Amino acid sequence: MATDIVAELADSLAKTGVEDGELSYKGQGRKLDDAQSAEEIVKDIEEFEGLQALRMEGNTVGVEAAQAIAKALETKSDFKRCYWSDMFTGRLRSEIPPALNSLGDALMLAGARLTVLDLSDNAFGPDGVKGIEKLLKSTSCFTLQELRLNNCGMGIGGGKILAASLTQCHKQSSEKNEPLSLKVFVAGRNRLENDGATALAQAFQLMGSLEEVHMPQNGINHPGVTALASAMQHNPGLRILNLNDNTFTEKGAVAMAQALKHLHSIQVINFGDCLVRPEGAKAIAESVSEGLPVLKELNMSYGEITADAALAVVEAVKNKDQLEKLDLNGNYLGEDGCKAVKDGMEGANMINLLGSLSDDEGEPDDDEDEDEEDNDEDDDEDDVDEEEIEEEEEEEEEENSSSINNEQSTPLSAPRPPDVSSFLSFPSPDKLLKLGSKRALLVQQQVDVTDARKTAEAFLKITSVYKEENNDVKNAVLDTIDALLSKAFSTPSFEGYNFVSNLLVLLGLIKSEDKIKPVVVVPGHLHALEHVVRQEYFPKENVAVLEAFMSRNKSLESCGNARNGLQSTLQRVRSQS
């Protein structure tokens, strides 16, 4: 009897957090298609006095079930926190807006005053944002402190709708002398790009209350970064700024450096994989040196930073007595530069705060330095000069290759169109695009898909040029690897497990007896792999293998959100299989 009572109590406590008025079904994998399937949840909500929070993460809720749950929420005036991430797995995108509308209408009818709205990992696109538009503009969101919309696929359109809703909410709440004071904003992996980021920046500037901003991997270039930098100056309480895996270049980095001078409360800066480049890094270092007294973490990895710029960063953090981590991995320091950085940190008794430099790219070639300078001078997306520079580099590379292979050959009067072997030997986005519309077929013909190792090597070479911010390159990469791998996995003699094993070795996740040297892993490898594991041609039994190694290996942490996105997708695909 006592055992039964304890079991019932444990079940009750697992379901509800009595102290904070929380009812939780987190991670239970419930498939709620209609009102009948939601009966238990509805009953629990109705009987819960003083309900303040509902956790529905890791379940899947259909329109009818959402309407039933919404009906139960209509009387919950104390309700404050919606933890509704990953709540529509397997649902049609068209189902999500009406479900969200029902739930939002119920909260407004109840007179709820929300502090947390978390709808991350729902992939609902711009239409999903429309599903919460009315709620965001209502009095129920005047008190909102945390808005989490990570990995929702909002796009530029969704970003603009969201910005307009927040602006309207701030205007109406200010008229009631209770202005919206959002503290935490999370919207990574949403393809907001420049226009979406700029629209949101205007809303951020109005509010001026932000303490955490997380917008990694959104395809934002320097115009959007500059707009965000201007907005951040009006949020003096900002503690965490995460813009990982966007493209600052020098222009964006200098603008952000100027913003940092106004952010005396900043503790965590994540500008990793942002292509800040040497001059941008020096500008940021100057701002760090002059202020930021409570800085704890500074991530400037994978930014094409040279040794002199990295040393400026090291010098800037020497007086930061609260610093816990400095990440300069994956830059252009070279062997001597890495040693100088380590010596500088050791001299300041901070060597234990310096992250690994194992993925350093070595010293840049002179041509790369010149190219960076030219790109920084005119960095617009449609910059003709940049294209001409790339063509000149390609011509020079091909001529050099030709002279090495045949010293007697005469110089070419015009650059040859790159062929597949040239691309696979020296991959570049421009070469891939210039292969034309038949690039996928050409790669299929070039690669021996009966050889798992060669296929894995080709996959990594192709995906190394992946650019999240460039749709033409991104689509070219994904189309090409889809063609290559669908052919490989449909070939009877192709060994799928051998392919995965070789991929893990080349990514540095497992060691090989053959002493194969791993590649330098870039986010594009992981973005593309995230795409691949969702495709029908990829065997689901291999998903579990990938997930096992990804989850227990920390060597990919430098790829930040690309790694997190892949892990999340692997978990989701495995749970659906």
Side-chain angles (χ1 to χ4, degrees), residues 68-116:
I69 292 170
K71 186 69 177 174
L73 289 171
E74 288 179 357
T75 61
K76 303 301 175 181
S77 58
D78 295 328
F79 197 82
K80 296 179 180 178
R81 303 186 302 280
C82 306
Y83 298 107
W84 296 346
S85 64
D86 194 17
M87 195 173 74
F88 298 107
T89 300
R91 298 290 168 185
L92 296 174
R93 183 172 287 189
S94 59
E95 293 182 83
I96 301 176
L100 290 173
N101 270 317
S102 297
L103 293 165
D105 288 346
L107 297 177
M108 290 186 283
L109 184 60
R113 306 285 277 180
L114 296 184
T115 57
V116 178

Side-chain angles (χ1 to χ4, degrees), residues 338-349:
C338 286
K339 184 179 185 304
V341 165
K342 291 177 182 177
D343 289 346
M345 292 295 283
E346 190 162 14
N349 293 319

Side-chain angles (χ1 to χ4, degrees), residues 133-148:
E133 184 178 7
K134 186 163 57 171
L135 174 64
L136 287 172
K137 293 178 179 179
S138 73
T139 56
S140 289
C141 284
F142 285 5
T143 50
L144 194 63
Q145 295 182 8
E146 297 183 21
L147 179 58
R148 300 177 182 271

Side-chain angles (χ1 to χ4, degrees), residues 191-194 216-221 245-247 468-469:
R191 294 296 307 158
L192 295 171
E193 301 185 13
N194 290 331
Q217 199 181 333
N218 269 297
I220 307 170
N221 298 324
D245 202 2
N246 290 291
T247 307
E468 184 69 18
E469 70 277 7

Side-chain angles (χ1 to χ4, degrees), residues 52-273:
Q52 295 182 26
L54 177 62
R55 287 192 173 274
M56 293 294 295
E57 308 105 306
N59 298 285
T60 176
V61 182
V63 176
E64 291 183 20
Q67 290 170 343
I69 292 170
K71 186 69 177 174
L73 289 171
E74 288 179 357
T75 61
K76 303 301 175 181
S77 58
D78 295 328
F79 197 82
K80 296 179 180 178
R81 303 186 302 280
C82 306
Y83 298 107
W84 296 346
S85 64
D86 194 17
M87 195 173 74
F88 298 107
T89 300
R91 298 290 168 185
L92 296 174
R93 183 172 287 189
S94 59
E95 293 182 83
I96 301 176
L100 290 173
N101 270 317
S102 297
L103 293 165
D105 288 346
L107 297 177
M108 290 186 283
L109 184 60
R113 306 285 277 180
L114 296 184
T115 57
V116 178
L117 178 58
D118 185 355
L119 288 165
S120 298
D121 299 317
N122 279 312
F124 47 48
D127 290 342
V129 185
K130 292 178 182 177
I132 57 172
E133 184 178 7
K134 186 163 57 171
L135 174 64
L136 287 172
K137 293 178 179 179
S138 73
T139 56
S140 289
C141 284
F142 285 5
T143 50
L144 194 63
Q145 295 182 8
E146 297 183 21
L147 179 58
R148 300 177 182 271
L149 296 167
N150 201 58
N151 192 29
C152 288
M154 290 190 288
I156 294 172
K160 289 182 175 180
I161 295 169
L162 178 61
S165 300
L166 292 173
T167 300
Q168 185 70 11
C169 182
H170 183 268
K171 178 183 177 182
Q172 293 181 350
S173 59
S174 297
E175 291 172 354
K176 300 284 186 181
N177 293 319
E178 46 179 330
L180 172 66
S181 298
L182 193 68
K183 289 181 169 57
V184 177
F185 180 82
V186 182
R189 304 186 74 231
N190 270 292
R191 294 296 307 158
L192 295 171
E193 301 185 13
N194 290 331
D195 289 348
T198 300
L200 284 165
Q202 294 170 355
F204 296 162
Q205 185 165 324
L206 274 177
M207 291 185 290
S209 55
L210 289 167
E211 296 179 5
E212 294 185 27
V213 173
H214 302 264
M215 297 175 66
Q217 199 181 333
N218 269 297
I220 307 170
N221 298 324
H222 75 79
V225 172
T226 300
L228 288 170
S230 178
M232 293 307 107
Q233 295 184 37
H234 297 270
N235 288 265
L238 192 69
R239 294 182 297 105
I240 299 174
L241 181 57
N242 177 6
L243 294 175
N244 187 284
D245 202 2
N246 290 291
T247 307
F248 284 31
T249 65
E250 183 182 330
K251 288 183 179 180
V254 169
M256 196 57 72
Q258 184 62 35
L260 290 176
K261 295 179 179 180
H262 300 265
L263 303 176
H264 305 297
S265 300
I266 198 91
Q267 296 178 9
V268 177
I269 299 171
N270 187 341
F271 295 160
D273 205 12

